[in-house]
Amino acid sequence: MTESNVMYNNSSISKQKLVKSVSLSSSLFDKLIDELLIEILIRLPLKPASLCKCVSSRFRSLISSSYFINCYKIHHNQNHYPFNNPFALYYQSKPNYDNMIQPSAMEIDLIFESPVFESPRFNLSFISYNYNYSDNDNEELEEHSLQYLASNNGLVLCCVALRRPVVYFVCNPLTKQYVVLPLPPSNVKSVFIGFICEPQHDYDDGRDTSFKVVRIEAVKSESERHLSGTLKFDIFCSLLGRWTEEYFMSSSRFNPELFYCKNYRHHSAVVCNGLLHWDTLSTCGIFTYDPYNGECRTVELPNEIRKPVWACKHFLGESNGLLRYANISWDDSSYKVWELKDNGNGGEWLLVHKVRLDEMESTVPNINKDCLGLLFPHLLNQDIVYFWCRSLSKVVEYNMRDKVLKLPCFIRHVKMITPLSPMFFPFVLPFWPTEVPRIEQHDTS
């Protein structure tokens, strides 16, 4: 793996225009003291303010300082971040490794309620991936669509869809920065993915943003149910610049914890309080991994939950820093939401909402409540949850406070690419852009 394999791109036409226009007036700005220049720059919208770092070394020094970022946060009323930040949903057709879906049908698109997402390049089209990035150095990577995998703190993890070997990218769709990761140690098709990012906005202390990518493979057994008692972790750390391998084995002799060898729903881990959570990995409940100390544990589901891992009548999500689990029960035609308290030690599930489906009022014409599939809770508003209505091919919003189903106030709605149900991924824009760290390549020996 050579250093040339790692790409870092933060150029765009809009940036060039902005830099040119600001540079024309640089002589005027040079006459301003730092305090006055900061008062001008903090009044810019998020994207232009971030791009101004490219104008000059002085601009970059000012805008990268913790003082400027705090002033920007206060001026734009971000003291309650992230509760009033722009929220959007990425979506695309489900990947299929039997070639039933062509990569061209897996285009990533976005639905949103804030104009900041109206840039056409928020669909990740700025990423270029025509590299010599294979076991055969003479074989050029074919043009394929990207597959969205996960996001955290403004950064997105994606890969080249249906391509082997797996090529991973971490990018910022606002600043158009991205980096290509080294090839992972194994080339397994179906893995459980986790992605977590620690943003660093205080550039004064010299620390950089860091992230980790976690790939979990259930080591296959001879069982006809395709269950395993052993997990293999491939972990990429941006600070180390390389992948490491770890193993976890179920220790109980009498009631062993088993793991599914196939990721049925292709969902990435839910990030909550610095931990990664998968609800479709373990037969015993929610499998939790701490990426910073390597500890694993399992959180049992609420007592009344008995779920197959492939069902779309449940979800695991995070809202306002709390883990939430929801379920549609056809036994009593009810919808229930639990919230996990004291996630650090054991935890206790509290039922926070219950309603019968026929009690849900609706303002959506011709909606069929029997065709609702659970998506996830709103990351910022704990009263809101999203459903996918298959009969209408629409995202619908449910407010747990007033028990009403309605269409979300999206500026752009779902544009169906294929008749198949799409995968949805929530995305929250941070109050300040998260830098994509450069990856130093280190020897893996």
Side-chain angles (χ1 to χ4, degrees), residues 50-65:
S50 175
L51 293 179
C52 276
K53 289 189 294 185
C54 301
V55 172
S56 67
S57 59
R58 182 191 180 199
F59 273 54
R60 179 169 182 82
S61 177
L62 286 176
I63 296 174
S64 298
S65 68

Side-chain angles (χ1 to χ4, degrees), residues 165-191:
V166 182
V167 181
Y168 290 106
F169 304 84
V170 172
C171 69
N172 185 321
L174 179 71
T175 63
K176 309 302 183 290
Q177 296 173 330
Y178 68 91
V179 65
V180 188
L181 274 56
L183 294 177
S186 61
N187 195 27
V188 180
K189 290 182 177 180
S190 181
V191 294

Side-chain angles (χ1 to χ4, degrees), residues 59-210:
F59 273 54
R60 179 169 182 82
S61 177
L62 286 176
I63 296 174
S64 298
S65 68
S66 59
Y67 177 75
F68 175 87
I69 295 174
N70 288 331
C71 290
Y72 190 92
K73 181 179 179 180
I74 294 172
H75 179 77
H76 291 271
N77 195 26
Q78 295 294 331
N79 289 323
H80 300 290
Y81 168 79
F83 305 115
N84 56 350
N85 275 49
F87 173 79
L89 302 176
Y90 278 99
Y91 67 95
Q92 69 180 144
S93 299
K94 294 180 181 179
N96 187 294
Y97 296 106
D98 298 323
N99 296 322
M100 294 178 62
I101 297 180
Q102 297 299 319
S104 59
M106 290 184 60
E107 178 185 352
I108 301 171
D109 212 334
L110 191 71
I111 55 179
F112 51 82
E113 55 189 6
S114 172
V116 71
F117 294 107
E118 288 184 311
S119 167
R121 303 191 79 189
F122 244 99
N123 62 4
L124 311 187
S125 62
F126 60 90
I127 295 179
S128 174
Y129 45 92
N130 237 5
Y131 311 122
N132 291 331
Y133 210 119
S134 64
D135 296 333
N136 183 356
D137 290 339
N138 296 320
E139 179 185 352
E140 188 177 72
L141 184 65
E142 298 176 1
E143 192 79 15
H144 285 291
S145 295
L146 289 174
Q147 179 182 342
Y148 192 109
L149 297 175
S151 67
N152 187 235
N153 284 319
L155 297 189
V156 169
L157 173 69
C158 54
C159 71
V160 180
L162 311 181
R163 175 68 187 183
R164 297 295 173 268
V166 182
V167 181
Y168 290 106
F169 304 84
V170 172
C171 69
N172 185 321
L174 179 71
T175 63
K176 309 302 183 290
Q177 296 173 330
Y178 68 91
V179 65
V180 188
L181 274 56
L183 294 177
S186 61
N187 195 27
V188 180
K189 290 182 177 180
S190 181
V191 294
F192 295 83
I193 287 287
F195 176 66
I196 189 167
C197 167
E198 277 196 311
Q200 181 52 248
H201 298 306
D202 185 358
Y203 299 96
D204 299 344
D205 63 5
R207 292 186 297 167
D208 293 327
T209 291
S210 64

Side-chain angles (χ1 to χ4, degrees), residues 6-73:
V6 178
M7 308 297 294
Y8 192 86
N9 184 342
N10 63 353
S11 63
S12 66
I13 296 177
S14 60
K15 180 191 303 180
Q16 294 171 2
K17 290 181 179 179
L18 178 66
V19 171
K20 183 177 179 181
S21 62
V22 176
S23 297
L24 293 175
S25 303
S26 59
S27 59
L28 296 176
F29 288 121
D30 289 341
K31 299 177 182 179
L32 300 178
I33 61 174
D34 287 352
E35 287 77 8
L36 187 54
L37 183 55
I38 288 176
E39 285 298 317
I40 295 173
L41 293 175
I42 63 174
R43 284 162 170 75
L44 292 174
L46 178 62
K47 187 171 183 179
S50 175
L51 293 179
C52 276
K53 289 189 294 185
C54 301
V55 172
S56 67
S57 59
R58 182 191 180 199
F59 273 54
R60 179 169 182 82
S61 177
L62 286 176
I63 296 174
S64 298
S65 68
S66 59
Y67 177 75
F68 175 87
I69 295 174
N70 288 331
C71 290
Y72 190 92
K73 181 179 179 180

Side-chain angles (χ1 to χ4, degrees), residues 297-347:
R297 67 184 181 91
T298 301
V299 178
E300 293 185 359
L301 293 174
N303 293 332
E304 52 197 289
I305 295 297
R306 297 292 182 269
K307 64 171 182 63
V309 299
W310 56 85
C312 63
K313 302 302 180 185
H314 73 277
F315 71 61
L316 178 71
E318 182 269 345
S319 182
N320 288 345
L322 293 172
L323 207 61
R324 285 195 163 188
Y325 191 87
N327 173 267
I328 292 181
S329 171
W330 296 122
D331 294 335
D332 57 0
S333 298
S334 66
Y335 166 67
K336 302 173 185 177
V337 180
W338 291 265
E339 200 167 74
L340 186 63
K341 303 295 184 182
D342 189 21
N343 190 24
N345 294 304

